[in-house]
């Protein structure tokens, strides 16, 4: 039985989906740490992925590449239906990627941003949740230098928030 964590915008949708997934052999977890796979819904912006492999429900195809770049292991569109959703959750829980081949090829074919060793260190510490002051103390540099490195990382990686750094493949 696969444990899935749901995070949908409307509580009524989440309850209905939980019941439908239970009827298909899934167990719904209350917290992502208790789940094997997560399912989130993207409205206008993609939320950061949870700490488990996750599938995101997208509103449009333009978000697909961004979803994979952020670290989602799959995506779907609401019109694809419950059977496809159940299949995607199973495959992602088994360690597979659920995405269109053209989108995967696009992401895999993208050059990895070239960061300096110091930019990687600063980005990795920021991804762990350290403040600029804490990063500066840890690395023995000024806060101003930390800000400069983070600005360069954000620009090179095409991200806007610190929370997105944890899911960028060149930091791992």
């Amino acid at each position: 039985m696969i444990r899935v964590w749901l995070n949908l915008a409307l509580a009524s949708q989440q309850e209905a989906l939980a019941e439908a997934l239970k009827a298909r052999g899934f167990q719904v977890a209350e917290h992502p740490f208790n789940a094997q796979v997560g399912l989130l819904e993207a409205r206008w912006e993609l939320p950061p992925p949870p700490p488990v492999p996750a599938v995101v429900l997208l509103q449009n195809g333009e978000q697909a590449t961004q979803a994979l770049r952020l670290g989602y292991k799959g995506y779907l569109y609401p019109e694809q239906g419950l059977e496809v959703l159940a299949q995607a959750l199973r495959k992602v829980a088994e360690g597979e990627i659920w995405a269109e081949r053209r989108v995967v090829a696009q992401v895999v074919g993208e050059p990895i941003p070239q960061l300096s060793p110091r930019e990687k260190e600063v980005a990795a510490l920021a991804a762990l949740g350290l403040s600029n002051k804490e990063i500066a103390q840890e690395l023995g540099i000024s806060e101003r230098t930390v800000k400069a490195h983070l600005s360069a990382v954000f620009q090179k990686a095409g991200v806007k928030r610190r929370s997105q750094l944890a899911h960028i493949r060149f930091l791992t």
Side-chain angles (χ1 to χ4, degrees):
M1 182 177 302
I2 296 172
R3 294 179 314 280
V4 62
W5 175 70
L6 302 174
N7 187 4
L8 304 181
L10 298 175
S12 59
Q13 280 182 326
Q14 186 158 318
E15 290 171 13
L17 186 55
E19 289 304 315
L21 289 173
K22 286 178 187 175
R24 285 166 177 75
F26 289 87
Q27 180 181 7
V28 177
E30 294 294 321
H31 193 278
F33 291 130
N34 299 329
Q36 294 167 280
V37 65
L39 176 67
L40 289 83
E41 179 180 26
R43 291 285 180 167
W44 297 274
E45 277 192 38
L46 286 167
V52 295
V55 175
V56 62
L57 291 173
L58 302 176
Q59 296 301 312
N60 61 65
E62 296 168 9
Q63 297 171 310
T65 302
Q66 183 185 5
L68 295 181
R69 276 192 210 127
L70 283 176
Y72 283 97
K73 301 301 181 193
Y75 62 85
L76 291 167
Y77 305 104
E79 64 271 9
Q80 287 182 283
L82 194 54
E83 292 307 319
V84 174
L85 172 64
Q87 187 178 5
L89 291 172
R90 282 188 185 93
K91 291 298 182 182
V92 170
E94 293 169 1
E96 294 186 29
I97 302 292
W98 188 270
E100 297 160 288
R101 289 176 192 232
R102 66 173 178 79
V103 175
V104 173
Q106 189 177 3
V107 172
V108 170
E110 290 177 352
I112 296 174
Q114 296 301 308
L115 299 182
S116 71
R118 182 62 90 180
E119 288 171 342
K120 285 183 182 180
E121 289 176 323
V122 170
L125 292 172
L128 292 173
L130 274 67
S131 68
N132 288 357
K133 185 177 183 176
E134 292 169 326
I135 294 169
Q137 290 172 344
E138 180 74 24
L139 298 178
I141 58 178
S142 71
E143 283 185 67
R144 186 174 177 185
T145 302
V146 171
K147 288 179 186 178
H149 285 310
L150 284 175
S151 292
V153 169
F154 288 165
Q155 182 179 7
K156 289 178 182 180
V159 298
K160 296 179 182 176
R161 292 186 300 271
R162 295 167 82 101
S163 62
Q164 294 172 304
L165 293 175
H167 305 288
I168 297 176
R169 59 189 164 121
F170 59 84
L171 292 177
T172 56

